[in-house]
Amino acid sequence: MEQEKIIEAKELGSLLLDVGVSLLSSGASCSRIRITMRRLATAYHYDAHISIAPKSISLTLNVEKEYVIFNGMRSTPSQGVNFKTISGISRLSWEAVENELSIHQVRDKLNALLALPHYPRIIILTFVSLAGAGFCFSFGGKLLEMIIAFGATFCGLFIRQEAIKRKFNPYFCVFFGSLTASMFAGAFIKAGLNINFEHAFATSVLFLIPGVPLINSFTDLIDGNILNGIVRGVNALMFSMAIAFGLLVTMIIYNLN
Amino acid sequence: MDWILILSTAFWSGWAALGFGILFNVPPRTLFALWIGGAIGVLIKLTLLQFSVSVVLASFIGASAVGMLSIPIAHKRHVPPMIFAIPAVIPLIPGVFAYRTMLGLIKLTGTIGADYNLILSETINNAAKTLFIIMSLAIGVAIPMHVMRKESAKNIRL
């Protein structure tokens, strides 16, 4: 009996840590990670104590609020924002509670969820470029500038994806994306086309803005996870600096002012 | 700014929200809602700007509207509210102010000339706007959950 309990706790602990690190690396806020892990632990009558560091999660499971039965820690895999994982895990945690799934069933469903594909690459490239064109219009761009923003975003995102594939430092990936996009947009300005400099240039790099870290940073700060909030904020700032640096290099190369 | 321009800006902002949704790999069932959400946020912001509301407050109200909208959509589409809310407020991000701040900072590294004070105050103005708009977006998105004081959108009855 005692032995079975320990094995169950180990399986649950490992499952919870996997859920936690998947959420953390997909861009969930700290309170969401905590709530989801606790919800699952409570469903199996354990008491979970969780500590979330910027790149790892530690977990202790207690039985009946008395003794510790599981101790563990896991570091996050490097992976980009993935909202499909977050919404899938949220659904899964409710399903586990409501239908009283076994730990093995939840584990199988989690693995299936993590294996779900992204959108096809060409769809991502096209729609993000369309978003770039949309941004350009909302900042006052005309048709020609929108087309340039579309092309710049397409090239920039393509280069960034390639850089990520080759496992460059993430800030360098953003720098390469920003450099490519602004070089593309700058070429039209340099060619003497009669376009608004600011609209074409500023909107060509907007697809790189670290929107998820920025908003999560403030969400964490409001929830009192100050340390995680600061880490995410500084991370977002670093990405912004990488964008700025790419623009700066383009301006130096093209001698634009 | 006339109303046709406002409406078409909102239309294109919807595409911006949708594009970011695809970049963040949101479930396909939320895509249409995202388009609507992005358009509504910008529509509210631009309408308020017409009535000479400050850009920070207008962005805040736009983001709060998106945040409020995220709860019924979370129910309908079975996703956590933030999945909808984060891509939908991205069109409200002050890209131009951020860009001008960065450009100003680069200029400030140059030699001190006659227009240095002007550049300094413009840069600080743009930086403050950027910071406060981004803060108001985050708060606007977070507000519904905090106002209703519930841990999960599932417990919020509408």
Side-chain angles (χ1 to χ4, degrees), chain A residues 125-234:
Chain A
L125 281 168
T126 312
F127 276 89
V128 175
S129 307
L130 213 56
F135 265 124
C136 190
F137 185 87
S138 57
F139 292 150
K142 297 282 173 300
L143 185 65
L144 184 60
E145 285 136 6
M146 282 167 76
I147 293 170
I148 293 172
F150 185 95
T153 308
F154 197 94
C155 298
L157 185 60
F158 181 81
I159 293 292
R160 187 187 169 202
Q161 287 175 337
E162 288 298 312
I164 291 172
K165 245 191 233 169
R166 286 169 177 69
K167 299 207 177 356
F168 275 97
N169 170 308
Y171 306 114
F172 275 94
C173 296
V174 169
F175 167 72
F176 293 144
S178 158
L179 182 66
T180 314
S182 55
M183 287 290 275
F184 184 96
F188 289 91
I189 296 165
K190 206 61 189 166
L193 250 64
N194 184 22
I195 51 175
N196 187 314
F197 176 71
E198 194 175 44
H199 295 156
F201 221 56
T203 52
S204 67
V205 293
L206 275 181
F207 69 100
L208 293 163
I209 39 173
V212 176
L214 262 181
I215 290 175
N216 273 337
S217 163
F218 283 103
T219 317
D220 280 352
L221 289 175
I222 294 171
D223 288 335
N225 298 307
I226 304 291
L227 207 55
N228 297 74
I230 292 173
V231 169
R232 290 187 203 232
V234 173

Side-chain angles (χ1 to χ4, degrees), chain B residues 38-66:
Chain B
I40 285 180
V42 168
L43 191 65
I44 290 176
K45 177 188 153 185
L46 291 179
T47 311
L48 287 172
L49 284 182
Q50 287 300 97
F51 296 103
S52 48
V53 178
S54 86
V55 65
V56 176
L57 187 62
S59 303
F60 174 71
I61 296 172
S64 310
V66 170

Side-chain angles (χ1 to χ4, degrees), chain A:
Chain A
M1 175 63 203
E2 191 69 4
Q3 200 63 32
E4 274 173 25
K5 190 86 179 159
I6 289 172
I7 291 172
E8 189 199 59
K10 276 193 173 163
E11 279 170 355
L12 179 65
S14 153
L15 174 72
L16 287 183
L17 283 172
D18 275 338
V19 165
V21 292
S22 313
L23 285 175
L24 187 57
S25 61
S26 309
S29 68
C30 287
S31 60
R32 167 162 297 279
I33 299 172
R34 248 187 217 116
I35 291 165
T36 310
M37 286 173 78
R38 284 227 180 93
R39 186 186 296 151
L40 277 171
T42 315
Y44 298 101
H45 312 291
Y46 288 91
D47 198 22
H49 296 264
I50 304 150
S51 158
I52 304 172
K55 284 188 157 185
S56 63
I57 292 180
S58 323
L59 166 76
T60 296
L61 286 178
N62 289 18
V63 184
E64 292 143 14
K65 305 199 175 188
E66 275 176 32
Y67 62 97
V68 175
I69 195 163
F70 175 86
N71 253 322
M73 178 177 167
R74 192 152 301 168
S75 49
T76 52
S78 60
Q79 166 204 330
V81 174
N82 189 341
F83 281 2
K84 210 181 259 175
T85 308
I86 297 179
S87 83
I89 289 179
S90 162
R91 277 178 124 181
L92 178 60
S93 72
W94 282 110
E95 206 186 324
V97 173
E98 282 161 6
N99 302 346
E100 298 182 357
L101 301 178
S102 74
I103 295 175
H104 286 282
Q105 281 172 312
V106 178
R107 160 67 69 188
D108 290 343
K109 288 192 180 217
L110 178 69
N111 288 344
L113 190 71
L114 294 180
L116 282 181
H118 273 252
Y119 287 97
R121 190 173 182 189
I122 187 71
I123 298 277
I124 298 179
L125 281 168
T126 312
F127 276 89
V128 175
S129 307
L130 213 56
F135 265 124
C136 190
F137 185 87
S138 57
F139 292 150
K142 297 282 173 300
L143 185 65
L144 184 60
E145 285 136 6
M146 282 167 76
I147 293 170
I148 293 172
F150 185 95
T153 308
F154 197 94
C155 298
L157 185 60
F158 181 81
I159 293 292
R160 187 187 169 202
Q161 287 175 337
E162 288 298 312
I164 291 172
K165 245 191 233 169
R166 286 169 177 69
K167 299 207 177 356
F168 275 97
N169 170 308
Y171 306 114
F172 275 94
C173 296
V174 169
F175 167 72
F176 293 144
S178 158
L179 182 66
T180 314
S182 55
M183 287 290 275
F184 184 96
F188 289 91
I189 296 165
K190 206 61 189 166
L193 250 64
N194 184 22
I195 51 175
N196 187 314
F197 176 71
E198 194 175 44
H199 295 156
F201 221 56
T203 52
S204 67
V205 293
L206 275 181
F207 69 100
L208 293 163
I209 39 173
V212 176
L214 262 181
I215 290 175
N216 273 337
S217 163
F218 283 103
T219 317
D220 280 352
L221 289 175
I222 294 171
D223 288 335
N225 298 307
I226 304 291
L227 207 55
N228 297 74
I230 292 173
V231 169
R232 290 187 203 232
V234 173
N235 186 30
L237 194 66
M238 293 276 290
F239 279 121
S240 316
M241 301 281 265
I243 300 173
F245 199 62
L247 280 174
L248 180 62
V249 170
T250 302
M251 283 158 82
I252 291 170
I253 290 176
Y254 283 145
N255 196 18
L256 295 166
N257 272 308

Side-chain angles (χ1 to χ4, degrees), chain A residues 82-84 119 198 223, chain B residues 24-26 100 102 135 146:
Chain A
N82 189 341
F83 281 2
K84 210 181 259 175
Y119 287 97
E198 194 175 44
D223 288 335
Chain B
F24 298 153
N25 199 25
V26 299
R100 285 183 192 152
M102 186 216 68
M135 256 163 44
H146 286 268

Side-chain angles (χ1 to χ4, degrees), chain B residues 125-142:
Chain B
N125 182 256
N126 285 325
K129 273 183 191 153
T130 310
L131 185 69
F132 274 87
I133 291 175
I134 291 175
M135 256 163 44
S136 62
L137 296 188
I139 297 169
V141 168

Side-chain angles (χ1 to χ4, degrees), chain A residues 119 123 127, chain B residues 14 17-23 25-37 77 84:
Chain A
Y119 287 97
I123 298 277
F127 276 89
Chain B
L18 183 76
F20 270 85
I22 287 180
L23 188 64
N25 199 25
V26 299
R29 61 182 182 278
T30 50
L31 286 178
F32 181 67
L34 261 185
W35 189 90
I36 302 277
R77 295 273 178 263
F84 166 80

